[in-house]
Amino acid sequence: MKRRGRQILSGFMALCLTVGMLLVSAGCTAAPSEKKEGGSFADSGDSTETETRIFTDSAGRQVEVPAEITRVIPSGDMAQMFLWPLASDKLVSVSTAITPEQEKYLGDSCRDLPETGNLYKTGSELNVEEVATLGADIIIDFGEAKDSICEDLDNLQELLGIPCVFIEGGLTDSAQSYRMLGELLGMEEEAEELALYIEGILEETDRVFETVEKKEAVILNGTDGLGCIASGTYFDEVWAYMVKNVAVPADAQMYASTRIDFEQLANWDPDFLFFYNTTAPAQQVSEGAWPQLRAVKSGQWYPVPAGPYSFVSPPAVNRYLGILWIGTTVYPGEFSWDLREKVKEYYNLFYHYELSDAEYDALMQQEK
């Protein structure tokens, strides 16, 4: 699946003159190269005062980066979530401010950092002028590569004089992504711990589905529960991995939820219904014809837990929590993990937070 086909920030090159005035000197630009395996370093061959290395990113771009990286800017929300476990103390900005509710788990260390937005339009646009003033060592983009990734990052790098690298990070390859990030930041040991955790979850899930048939489900959101995540769309990756998403509307939205009517939902009538970003699902399923749906009759409808992020969205490393929860909820007794212990381990590794038993129970009690 290609990364979301959004247009790079509007007015991008119009800021060149302004940014150029803010910069003292231009930095390193990516040398043109064929796409190759990422994550490798080579000596830059430079004898400049600041030691540098050549890093080959996931797009095959060879980028000159500082030998020691201490000041990092995330390219957007996905990158911020991906970077947090290894580099929360290296961030000099946040793409989106952390809310008071999220601070419960993430702490307040980033509260006073400037908000620099998103390179791609998932929210506020990247504030190029702000980025230029922060003295960052590097900008890191994370996710799934769209066709223009090399051009986009080369342009941004040339404009700002700051190295920009891309690290691929789909659902099934984020373990290797963390190994690459660990190499980039000089944190190989810490990154390996994250990678092994991810690989353990994926290996267990693949083992189960060698013999277990996936259950049918529809994933709903919106204030009235009649937005759906259509099968095969951008936000469906974790659901397709864990269930058979039977929502196939004619006008499916690739990068957003698709509006449906109740008749469409009743025609699909799946084994399971899941709700997220929905105001009051318990009230919703008790009204009108909702109680006639198979999933409602059997009690197999579930709001997705959240804290500090939803377990399934945005589609970043939080989705491994989603795999744990969906697996235990939909296929009881099939997975060998202890959900409580695996969730607590995740919070420790990825959020640096010691989740208590009471807090775990409160998270899971969000279900209904």
Side-chain angles (χ1 to χ4, degrees):
M1 183 188 299
K2 291 293 183 184
R3 189 176 181 174
R4 184 173 180 176
R6 297 160 295 213
Q7 294 296 318
I8 198 165
L9 59 156
S10 64
F12 182 82
M13 297 309 295
L15 293 169
C16 289
L17 180 59
T18 303
V19 175
M21 294 168 62
L22 291 167
L23 296 172
V24 176
S25 62
C28 310
T29 59
S33 62
E34 297 296 322
K35 186 164 183 177
K36 61 189 77 175
E37 292 300 316
S40 63
F41 278 112
D43 293 333
S44 67
D46 240 332
S47 58
T48 55
E49 292 183 9
T50 302
E51 186 179 353
T52 62
R53 305 170 290 178
I54 300 299
F55 179 75
T56 304
D57 72 6
S58 295
R61 300 166 58 255
Q62 293 185 320
V63 183
E64 189 173 1
V65 302
E68 182 179 2
I69 294 171
T70 61
R71 298 178 63 81
V72 177
I73 289 177
S75 69
D77 297 340
M78 296 267 293
Q80 180 172 311
M81 293 173 69
F82 175 72
L83 287 166
W84 191 267
L86 287 183
S88 61
D89 61 339
K90 300 180 187 297
L91 297 180
V92 295
S93 73
V94 291
S95 57
T96 301
I98 294 169
T99 68
E101 293 77 17
Q102 291 169 337
E103 282 187 0
K104 168 182 169 63
Y105 303 101
L106 303 178
D108 62 3
S109 61
C110 293
R111 180 182 293 170
D112 297 326
L113 293 183
E115 188 175 345
T116 45
N118 288 264
L119 174 62
Y120 296 98
K121 290 185 181 179
T122 55
S124 59
E125 292 180 355
L126 189 71
N127 186 335
V128 181
E129 293 183 34
E130 180 74 44
V131 169
T133 69
L134 296 177
D137 296 322
I138 197 167
I139 297 171
I140 299 177
D141 185 37
F142 166 80
E144 292 179 301
K146 68 189 188 74
D147 292 340
S148 62
I149 187 65
C150 291
E151 180 182 1
D152 292 343
L153 292 186
D154 286 350
N155 286 342
L156 183 62
Q157 186 167 275
E158 184 176 0
L159 174 64
L160 290 170
I162 302 171
C164 301
V165 302
F166 169 68
I167 297 179
E168 189 93 32
L171 184 70
T172 59
D173 54 21
S174 285
Q176 188 56 35
S177 303
Y178 271 114
R179 291 187 175 105
M180 183 184 292
L181 181 63
E183 185 181 11
L184 178 66
L185 299 179
M187 302 179 70
E188 290 90 346
E189 185 175 340
E190 298 91 334
E192 184 64 19
E193 193 172 12
L194 299 174
L196 290 175
Y197 179 90
I198 291 170
E199 286 178 340
I201 290 176
L202 297 178
E203 288 168 4
E204 173 66 4
T205 304
D206 291 342
R207 179 195 68 80
V208 167
F209 288 131
E210 286 178 358
T211 57
V212 172
E213 185 176 352
K214 292 181 179 179
K215 300 288 188 179
E216 293 185 355
V218 171
I219 300 89
L220 301 169
N221 60 20
T223 56
D224 60 357
L226 289 176
C228 80
I229 301 303
S231 177
T233 57
Y234 181 69
F235 291 95
D236 181 48
E237 187 179 20
V238 67
W239 295 106
Y241 188 59
M242 298 302 296
V243 297
K244 181 180 179 182
N245 183 356
V246 296
V248 188
D251 56 348
Q253 301 297 303
M254 179 57 69
Y255 302 112
S257 63
T258 301
R259 289 295 301 171
I260 59 173
D261 56 34
F262 186 82
E263 183 179 358
Q264 286 177 292
L265 179 59
N267 286 337
W268 296 324
D269 202 16
D271 302 318
F272 287 83
L273 289 175
F274 293 97
F275 296 83
Y276 73 95
N277 297 337
T278 304
T279 305
Q283 180 179 341
Q284 186 68 57
V285 300
S286 69
E287 296 176 345
W290 283 77
Q292 301 306 310
L293 297 174
R294 282 197 303 152
V296 178
K297 285 181 181 179
S298 63
Q300 294 185 144
W301 61 272
Y302 300 93
V304 177
Y309 307 100
S310 164
F311 281 17
V312 298
S313 184
V317 293
N318 50 316
R319 293 180 296 176
Y320 300 103
L321 281 173
I323 291 173
L324 292 169
W325 176 75
I326 296 166
T328 302
T329 300
V330 178
Y331 310 99
E334 298 291 351
F335 288 84
S336 63
W337 57 56
D338 180 292
L339 182 62
R340 180 184 296 267
E341 292 308 312
K342 290 298 287 185
V343 168
K344 291 171 72 173
E345 184 182 2
Y346 180 98
Y347 274 73
N348 180 272
L349 289 173
F350 289 81
Y351 298 143
H352 313 298
Y353 185 80
E354 295 290 339
L355 191 71
S356 70
D357 285 328
E359 289 169 328
Y360 170 86
D361 292 337
L363 275 174
M364 296 306 167
Q365 285 168 8
Q366 297 179 59
E367 293 182 28
K368 291 186 181 179

